Amino acid sequence: MAGHSHSHHGHDHSGHGHGHGGHGHSHAPASGHDRAFAVGIALNLSFIVGEVVFGLMAHSVSLLADAGHNLSDVLGLGAAWAAIALGRRSPSKRFTYGLKGSTILAALLNALLLLVALGAIMLEAVQRLAVPAPVDGPLVAWVAGVGILVNGATALMFLRGSASDLNIRGAYLHMASDALVSAGVVVSGLLIWWTGAMWLDPVVSIVIAVLIFLQTWGLLRESVEMSLAAVPRGIDSDAVREELRELPGVAQVHHVHIWPMSTTETVLTAHLVMPQGHPGDAFLNDARAMLKDHFGIGHATLQVELETNAPLHDPDCKVP
């Protein structure tokens, strides 16, 4: 094993890092969430059937709209789960990182699905403001109450991974926003029952839609950034550059690129100018260990250059 990193170190040291660093943290969260996805999808599908049946019985467009919205959730959960499964596929000649980037696409898809669902809710609500429909308040409140439990329980299963993984956060936001919609429907159902004011049903829908939009905007922005290979939000690129610069024997650091391979894994490439000569494998292993421990960057490729007058600017890269 020791000889392994030396013998084909020149080109394979990053691959070596992938074997260890990469998988450790891509699988740990994923396998833990498999059950959450399965339970969440099953719970939601059965709830959707119930909502459609009771929505037709109660003449509540808000229940039917909520069923439609929940269907977009099942799609969102399915996309997030599929992405995690695809991310486990081993790399091929064509997809040298495997299909880990599908988690970024799923987070983006989740944001877009939420926005489509919001558009549908808003449209529905505006139409009902114009022509208020009679609503069976108590029945609506009961069914939506079950919705709070179903969506709240599913959201809690994803809460654990939502801080560190944008894909899981997409699933979490989807379920949490649904619990919020259901809570609003309960409130409007009870208020309609007490006051007889049918216009409350659509007004509550609009308020909730605005709240969800504010949540979704962040998810959309961050997943678009990741698709465009931005430095992940948790990483301070100046600090990374500074720590590389402080490694023994490093005179200059340039061409630092940091980008997400998936919603949980990060890649870095950098050129280190080291006038005293090539420092050997131990130095490179230490540098990679530092990047992993301090910044969570599990896939680093470092190029050592001896000349200070090596071209400091990559023609494609305006970052010094």
Side-chain angles (χ1 to χ4, degrees), residues 2 20 29-30 33 40 58 89 106 120 125 151-152 158 188 201 214 240 264 278 313:
H20 306 314
H33 287 115
R89 298 264 299 265
N151 294 309
F158 292 112
S188 68
D201 196 31
L214 296 173
V240 173
T264 52
H278 195 295
H313 292 283

Side-chain angles (χ1 to χ4, degrees), residues 179-243:
L180 194 69
V181 171
S182 301
V185 174
V186 169
V187 171
S188 68
L190 292 174
L191 286 173
I192 288 166
W193 182 40
W194 285 329
T195 63
M198 296 300 168
W199 56 267
L200 281 165
D201 196 31
V203 168
V204 169
S205 301
I206 291 172
V207 170
I208 291 167
V210 171
L211 287 173
I212 300 171
F213 175 76
L214 296 173
Q215 286 265 0
T216 307
W217 186 246
L219 178 68
L220 180 66
R221 207 174 57 192
E222 203 169 331
S223 50
V224 168
E225 282 174 8
M226 280 193 156
S227 320
L228 296 174
V231 176
R233 286 184 168 225
I235 295 175
D236 176 353
S237 55
D238 289 336
V240 173
R241 193 180 284 267
E242 196 50 46
E243 293 222 18

Side-chain angles (χ1 to χ4, degrees), residues 268-280:
L268 169 144
T269 59
H271 294 198
L272 307 179
V273 177
M274 305 187 73
Q276 286 91 26
H278 195 295

